[in-house]
Amino acid sequence: MENKKSIRDRIDFIRSFGRQHRYASIVILLFLALVVYRAGHFFLKSEVRQPEPAVNVIVASVKRMPIDVISPVTGRLKPSEEVALFPMATGRVSAVYVSVGDSVTVGQVLFDIEKGQVGSTLNQARESYSAIASTYARMEMLYAEGAVSLQDFESAKAQYIAAKESYNAAAEAYANFTVTSPIDGVVTSLSVAVGSLAGGAVAGSVAGTDGLVIEASVGEALAPSVEIGAGVGVYIDSLGREYPGTITAFSPIPSMGMLTYPLTITMDPDDALFAGMFAEVRLVSQSIPEALCIPSEAVIIREGKPVVVVLQGDDIPELREVVPGVDNGTIVQILSGLDEGERIVSTGQHFVTSGIQVRVVGERP
């Protein structure tokens, strides 16, 4: 009886344990099935590679055209004429009639200096000259009639000449106290004011408005290519564009103590140009009337050799070795390796692989 009871108790325990852990067993089985499925999918699926997109490029044509080698020379725009105001008299300024930036004409009064005794000296010289001139005129008439001797006439003449010179000197000294503009132009500086002391130093300056020039110099290598009267391009950095100019002066002799040759470029009139602007004069040092050319950036270096990417049919690129010639930074002459009319890659060539098709997204003129 005890054995039967013991067996029955074991069967009841197993049934009770199964009922209590049934759900946990189901969860474990489902998890193991999921792991097996994911592992099989990972190892058994075939890998599919997407094709790489074509490289975008911009192309250009191989053309025959003139090519110039440009040698830049720097300088600054300055007035074609600028004159310093240096008062010849010394004294305190009594009146100022202009300001910096005012337009003036030749002979226009800019400022006055107190005249003091110089006015009295001029009046005395004028009166003396007037009296002696009258006496000389009378003596000249009497001498012509034979009424006075040659000695008396010569004495009167000498007095007249001396009086005239004294009067002229006094008038010139008086005029020095009035400072006028020596040229037509614009007042560019003025360092005097009413009550200030003038004389013995530069008091200002006036610049002409007829034109602007650039004074520069070139070395011996560039000197043979300079020609008076030749037109040049002048790039103004602050304006971001090029303006025309003309070589108007050139010295075949170097400046004193220098090894460079001075030249002057005169600018064509333009309201956008102002004195003081930084300028780059673009001199043509070498000119080839006709050459096989491509954009300079189209030439790249591969394995130490200059090559160009040439497009064949269906836009298939080919890396072709070339022999470059003159290069002005914009276009380059090709001595061999290319034929006129061929299409080459000018942008995107660094990312091209020979034989793999590219996508043309633009073309340079």
Side-chain angles (χ1 to χ4, degrees):
M1 292 293 293
E2 292 180 358
N3 290 337
K4 291 181 180 180
K5 184 178 180 181
S6 175
I7 293 173
R8 190 179 300 112
D9 290 341
R10 290 179 181 178
I11 293 172
D12 292 341
F13 174 77
I14 292 172
R15 289 176 178 175
S16 176
F17 182 83
R19 284 194 300 267
Q20 293 176 3
H21 295 80
R22 181 182 302 168
Y23 295 108
S25 300
I26 293 173
V27 171
I28 292 172
L29 290 174
L30 289 175
F31 175 75
L32 292 175
L34 178 62
V35 170
V36 172
Y37 171 79
R38 296 292 294 179
H41 183 269
F42 176 79
F43 288 107
L44 295 178
K45 73 174 182 178
S46 60
E47 184 176 356
V48 179
R49 299 186 62 183
Q50 297 295 329
E52 294 183 1
V55 175
N56 293 334
V57 299
I58 297 176
V59 300
S61 297
V62 182
K63 299 178 181 179
R64 290 194 178 274
M65 63 179 69
I67 180 172
D68 296 328
V69 178
I70 305 299
S71 298
V73 176
T74 58
R76 289 192 179 274
L77 298 179
K78 59 182 298 184
S80 57
E81 185 179 17
E82 188 168 17
V83 182
L85 303 175
F86 195 92
M88 302 302 293
T90 301
R92 295 203 174 274
V93 176
S94 59
V96 178
Y97 306 104
V98 296
S99 301
V100 172
D102 288 350
S103 296
V104 294
T105 58
V106 60
Q108 180 178 337
V109 178
L110 305 180
F111 60 91
D112 283 328
I113 300 174
E114 292 178 355
K115 298 176 177 60
Q117 290 296 112
V118 72
S120 300
T121 302
L122 176 62
N123 290 333
Q124 292 174 5
R126 182 186 297 114
E127 292 174 0
S128 175
Y129 169 70
S130 178
I132 293 175
S134 297
T135 301
Y136 172 68
R138 186 172 62 256
M139 292 293 290
E140 187 176 28
M141 183 179 64
L142 293 174
Y143 174 73
E145 295 176 351
V148 295
S149 64
L150 176 61
Q151 182 178 1
D152 291 340
F153 173 71
E154 291 292 343
S155 177
K157 183 179 180 180
Q159 291 179 16
Y160 168 76
I161 293 174
K164 184 178 181 180
E165 290 178 351
S166 295
Y167 172 67
N168 288 339
E172 183 178 351
Y174 184 85
N176 288 337
F177 285 80
T178 298
V179 180
T180 61
S181 176
I183 60 172
D184 294 336
V186 174
V187 179
T188 54
S189 66
L190 195 64
S191 58
V192 296
V194 175
S196 65
L197 190 64
V202 175
S205 59
V206 177
T209 55
D210 292 338
L212 296 170
V213 299
I214 304 168
E215 293 180 350
S217 59
V218 296
E220 59 183 54
L222 192 56
S225 63
V226 177
E227 181 180 352
I228 295 178
V232 295
V234 179
Y235 183 78
I236 306 300
D237 185 65
S238 60
L239 301 179
R241 56 167 292 194
E242 186 175 281
Y243 294 83
T246 305
I247 299 175
T248 52
F250 174 70
S251 172
I253 307 299
S255 305
M256 182 178 296
M258 303 291 290
L259 296 177
T260 56
Y261 303 84
L263 78 158
T264 301
I265 296 92
T266 300
M267 302 296 298
D268 293 354
D270 195 298
D271 293 338
L273 300 179
F274 294 94
M277 286 183 170
F278 181 80
E280 181 183 87
V281 182
R282 295 174 171 177
L283 299 175
V284 178
S285 58
Q286 184 179 0
S287 182
I288 301 175
E290 186 179 78
L292 203 63
C293 298
I294 62 174
S296 297
E297 62 270 22
V299 179
I300 60 177
I301 303 298
R302 290 287 177 89
E303 298 179 356
K305 298 177 181 179
V307 298
V308 172
V309 178
V310 182
L311 288 188
Q312 305 295 342
D314 296 330
D315 296 333
I316 302 299
E318 171 197 351
L319 295 178
R320 189 183 301 174
E321 186 177 349
V322 297
V323 178
V326 172
D327 188 348
N328 64 9
T330 301
I331 57 175
V332 57
Q333 177 190 23
I334 300 299
L335 300 177
S336 66
L338 295 176
D339 294 323
E340 184 177 3
E342 287 190 297
R343 290 196 311 161
I344 56 95
V345 177
S346 62
T347 301
Q349 63 273 29
H350 295 280
F351 309 102
V352 167
T353 301
S354 183
I356 298 181
Q357 188 180 39
V358 298
R359 180 187 296 111
V360 177
V361 296
E363 184 169 358
R364 294 182 55 165

